[in-house]
Amino acid sequence: MSYFTQLFNLMVEVMLPLMLLVAVGGLWPRFFPDTPVEAARSLLNRMVMYLFLPCILFSVASTTPISGELLSVPLLVGIGSLVSGAILYVVMYLTPVGRGLPDTTRAILVVGGMFGNTFNIGVPVLMFFFGRDATRYAVFNDMLMTMPLVWSIGVWICTRLGAHGKSDQPAVWRIMLSMPPIWAFILGTASQQLGLTYAPLTAATWFIGQATIPVTLFVLGMTIPWRNLTPRPEIMSAALVKLVATPLIVWLAATVLYAPVGEAQYAAVVEATTPAMVTTLLLADRFRLDAKAAALLIGWTTILFWVTLPVIMALGMIR
């Protein structure tokens, strides 16, 4: 299949539905002005957190054997996140780009540029390249890399570099163990390892979990500040690191650590290409950081993702 044929298919199969879901979320309050936007976002986020996401995590984990190849995905994406965080720290704290910015802005841009929307955006792209079973790469990456690093290093950056200790740092493990997705993943993994997987249950939870991505992307559309997407230098710099530097770092790490590079390693590059995670805005609100900058970063990286992904493909870093 030629590059342009593959790109056209990607645009129709993946980009089109994703863009429509985000666009509908953005336009919904305009066509239905009586919609209580904040209440709707809160309700839908809770449905995802307490029902849809746990179901799909359980379904995938309960049918996925753990292997070294699978674990290479969180390892490589973790390397990309940490190195990108170091680059962003230099950019925001030691160069003219971040000069004069409040620490509340600089800190949230460092965190936002480190971690991508690897499930809700990553899964459709992974499925396009590698089939439905590729969902496992996003699941294990989120559970073994993103969540632990966000709630440890990410929280440290928010509280120490952004709020300077003015916000109480939460007990990381207490927060993580209170999240239903964590327990769903643990139960699913345990059932697979113990040979207790029950096919009708995994099918049922998969069916319910299919709502995760459409609902989350709809909420993402309601979250992006469409009327205020100002291309500020610090926002665009963080977006460039997230969308270009991170996948390049992951690809380079994959070529050094794994020879030849296989499906799992290419999947890690796909995960690294994804735009900033929506949780960035939640962290900004939780630790009283610059929520406007967080929303702008999410918005710009989501828009620019449709440009940078084809470039990454053209460079042969995704196959």
Side-chain angles (χ1 to χ4, degrees):
M1 182 185 300
S2 70
Y3 166 75
F4 291 103
T5 300
Q6 187 181 44
L7 179 60
F8 180 77
N9 291 341
L10 176 69
M11 292 177 64
V12 175
E13 293 181 29
V14 179
M15 292 185 178
L16 178 61
L18 294 187
M19 287 189 294
L20 285 175
L21 287 165
V22 173
V24 169
L27 293 172
W28 194 271
R30 173 171 294 187
F31 287 97
F32 302 97
D34 59 333
T35 301
V37 175
E38 292 300 324
R41 287 197 309 187
S42 177
L43 173 63
L44 293 173
N45 279 328
R46 288 178 182 175
M47 292 180 69
V48 170
M49 177 63 67
Y50 289 93
L51 177 61
F52 301 143
L53 182 57
C55 281
I56 197 165
L57 293 182
F58 175 85
S59 180
V60 173
S62 65
T63 56
T64 303
I66 298 176
S67 66
E69 280 291 288
L70 177 62
L71 296 179
S72 72
V73 176
L75 172 63
L76 292 170
V77 181
I79 291 172
S81 296
L82 293 175
V83 175
S84 295
I87 295 172
L88 285 162
Y89 176 83
V90 172
V91 171
M92 296 300 162
Y93 287 86
L94 303 177
T95 72
V97 172
R99 187 174 299 156
L101 293 175
D103 286 344
T104 52
T105 300
R106 295 193 284 189
I108 200 61
L109 291 180
V110 171
V111 174
M114 289 176 66
F115 304 105
N117 197 342
T118 53
F119 189 87
N120 300 299
I121 300 292
V123 166
V125 181
L126 286 170
M127 290 176 64
F128 172 82
F129 283 108
F130 310 116
R132 169 178 156 170
D133 288 344
T135 303
R136 68 188 186 276
Y137 297 130
V139 168
F140 278 78
N141 179 73
D142 272 19
M143 293 296 103
L144 301 183
M145 189 285 292
T146 302
M147 291 193 71
L149 289 188
V150 166
W151 290 103
S152 54
I153 295 174
V155 169
W156 186 90
I157 292 171
C158 290
T159 56
R160 302 306 172 191
L161 299 183
H164 296 291
K166 295 178 182 178
S167 297
D168 294 332
Q169 183 168 349
V172 173
W173 295 110
R174 183 180 302 172
I175 289 178
M176 291 184 63
L177 292 177
S178 68
M179 294 181 175
I182 292 289
W183 287 106
F185 176 76
I186 291 173
L187 289 174
T189 301
S191 68
Q192 194 282 324
Q193 292 293 306
L194 296 173
L196 301 176
T197 300
Y198 182 51
L201 180 59
T202 60
T205 50
W206 175 269
F207 176 78
I208 296 173
Q210 290 304 289
T212 303
I213 294 173
V215 171
T216 303
L217 293 177
F218 177 83
V219 174
L220 175 61
M222 299 178 75
T223 301
I224 295 174
W226 296 105
R227 296 182 179 180
N228 300 301
L229 282 175
T230 307
R232 290 159 36 183
E234 67 275 14
I235 301 296
M236 304 312 288
S237 297
L240 184 65
V241 172
K242 177 67 202 74
L243 297 173
V244 178
T246 304
L248 178 60
I249 293 164
V250 170
W251 181 78
L252 290 173
T255 58
V256 171
L257 298 176
Y258 297 91
V261 174
E263 178 183 291
Q265 291 77 55
Y266 286 120
V269 177
V270 171
E271 292 286 82
T273 64
T274 54
M277 61 177 183
V278 182
T279 307
T280 305
L281 186 58
L282 301 179
L283 291 171
D285 290 335
R286 169 65 177 80
F287 298 110
R288 297 190 288 277
L289 303 181
D290 191 343
K292 181 180 179 180
L296 284 173
L297 180 61
I298 294 169
W300 275 113
T301 53
T302 301
I303 293 169
L304 294 175
F305 170 71
W306 309 120
V307 177
T308 56
L309 178 61
V311 172
I312 298 298
M313 291 170 56
L315 293 174
M317 289 189 280
I318 301 174
R319 297 178 184 174

